[in-house]
Amino acid sequence: MKKSKRIFGRAFWKLAEASPTFMQDWKLLEAAGIKIRLLNKSDIAYFSRKKRVIYVGKWNSNVYNVVSIGHEYVHALLRPTTDVKEGDDRETWINERLEEETEAIVHELLILKELIAAGKSKYFGKLFSNVGLGWLTIYEGGAVACDAVEARLMAMEMDRASEQLLESVRNGGREAVKAVLCQTTTSNTGELYPEYYGLWFDEEMGKIAWHKKRAQSKQAKQITQDTEAS
């Protein structure tokens, strides 16, 4: 913890310590051997499963990094992503990823609410507020969130699915976050989240099929060689 305080700085920890949830997350990450590292970038935060490292941007705001580390904690420990396996059902796997991402968003919102309760809103800044507080209004329900959803759907006919989405947002809670997530594009590819996870699944299944076919080809070749040798 001492090394982390030196790397992330006093201002970061003054903010972070206002969230009991974040402090517990950090302790659990340390206990699990998951490192948290700064990259010389901004507007970035992700968890590397291979390296077991959470990366956040050095030039991000402190509040962005606090809530982002909380978000990535879910991906790292609470709801880790499972690899695609032969026989997996496509829709089930996609829904698991949507549930995982919803859990991560809700968890960061719990941290955000603790920061607000502690009077730390002055740290937020316009860029973060547009994103972080937008999700919070969806989670809590209310006119602001409904207006945002309606604006997104203005060019579409208000069919039953759209009405259900608005109803979810009015009610708020975890299901509201998931409903809006399904209508949201990813920051790295610009695809809707269900499409993004679907393509991920298809790509992994393609790799599995290729390796299986290659193994079968090797086995057939070996059988042929053994037959000829005998």
Side-chain angles (χ1 to χ4, degrees), residues 1 7 23 27 46 50 77 115 128 134 170 186 194 214-215:
M1 183 70 81
I7 293 172
M23 296 304 294
K27 289 177 182 177
Y46 66 94
K50 185 177 180 179
L77 288 183
L115 296 180
F128 172 80
R170 288 191 182 99
T186 65
R214 188 166 181 262

Side-chain angles (χ1 to χ4, degrees), residues 31-61:
I34 294 173
K35 297 178 173 57
I36 303 169
R37 295 286 183 262
L38 288 171
L39 292 178
N40 194 27
K41 296 180 179 181
S42 61
D43 301 331
I44 190 169
Y46 66 94
F47 171 59
S48 170
R49 288 196 295 156
K50 185 177 180 179
K51 296 181 180 180
R52 291 178 59 79
V53 176
I54 292 174
Y55 293 101
V56 293
K58 181 179 180 180
W59 306 111
N60 295 343
S61 67

Side-chain angles (χ1 to χ4, degrees), residues 172-217:
R174 193 179 186 285
E175 288 306 309
V177 171
K178 184 180 178 182
V180 175
L181 179 66
C182 289
Q183 300 289 328
T184 302
T185 56
T186 65
S187 59
N188 55 337
T189 67
E191 297 157 330
L192 291 174
Y193 270 91
E195 294 174 0
Y196 170 75
Y197 290 130
L199 290 171
W200 182 352
F201 181 90
D202 294 342
E203 183 179 332
E204 292 303 309
M205 275 299 184
K207 291 178 183 177
I208 290 170
W210 184 86
H211 284 293
K212 184 177 181 179
K213 186 176 180 180
R214 188 166 181 262
Q216 290 173 339
S217 178

Side-chain angles (χ1 to χ4, degrees), residues 78-226:
L78 195 60
R79 289 289 297 270
T81 302
T82 57
D83 292 323
V84 177
K85 302 182 297 297
E86 187 176 8
D88 279 352
D89 177 72
R90 188 176 190 271
E91 293 306 312
T92 299
W93 192 87
I94 291 171
N95 189 60
E96 286 174 352
R97 302 292 71 73
L98 291 170
E99 290 285 347
E100 177 188 330
E101 189 64 23
T102 299
E103 192 72 40
I105 293 171
V106 170
H107 190 77
E108 71 175 70
L109 293 180
L110 296 178
I111 294 173
L112 178 59
K113 290 178 73 173
E114 290 174 352
L115 296 180
I116 293 171
K120 301 298 182 180
S121 301
K122 64 181 180 180
Y123 287 89
F124 291 179
K126 186 175 180 180
L127 180 63
F128 172 80
S129 298
N130 289 341
V131 179
L133 297 183
W135 277 113
L136 189 58
T137 61
I138 291 167
Y139 181 61
E140 295 184 336
V144 174
C146 288
D147 289 346
V149 172
E150 285 178 321
R152 186 174 297 166
L153 299 172
M154 276 180 64
M156 301 168 55
E157 182 181 351
M158 190 60 73
D159 55 15
R160 182 59 185 152
S162 301
E163 290 175 0
Q164 288 175 336
L165 174 60
L166 280 173
E167 189 61 30
S168 294
V169 174
R170 288 191 182 99
N171 293 336
R174 193 179 186 285
E175 288 306 309
V177 171
K178 184 180 178 182
V180 175
L181 179 66
C182 289
Q183 300 289 328
T184 302
T185 56
T186 65
S187 59
N188 55 337
T189 67
E191 297 157 330
L192 291 174
Y193 270 91
E195 294 174 0
Y196 170 75
Y197 290 130
L199 290 171
W200 182 352
F201 181 90
D202 294 342
E203 183 179 332
E204 292 303 309
M205 275 299 184
K207 291 178 183 177
I208 290 170
W210 184 86
H211 284 293
K212 184 177 181 179
K213 186 176 180 180
R214 188 166 181 262
Q216 290 173 339
S217 178
K218 279 187 174 182
Q219 185 179 30
K221 185 178 180 180
Q222 186 63 52
I223 292 172
T224 301
Q225 290 175 346
D226 292 345

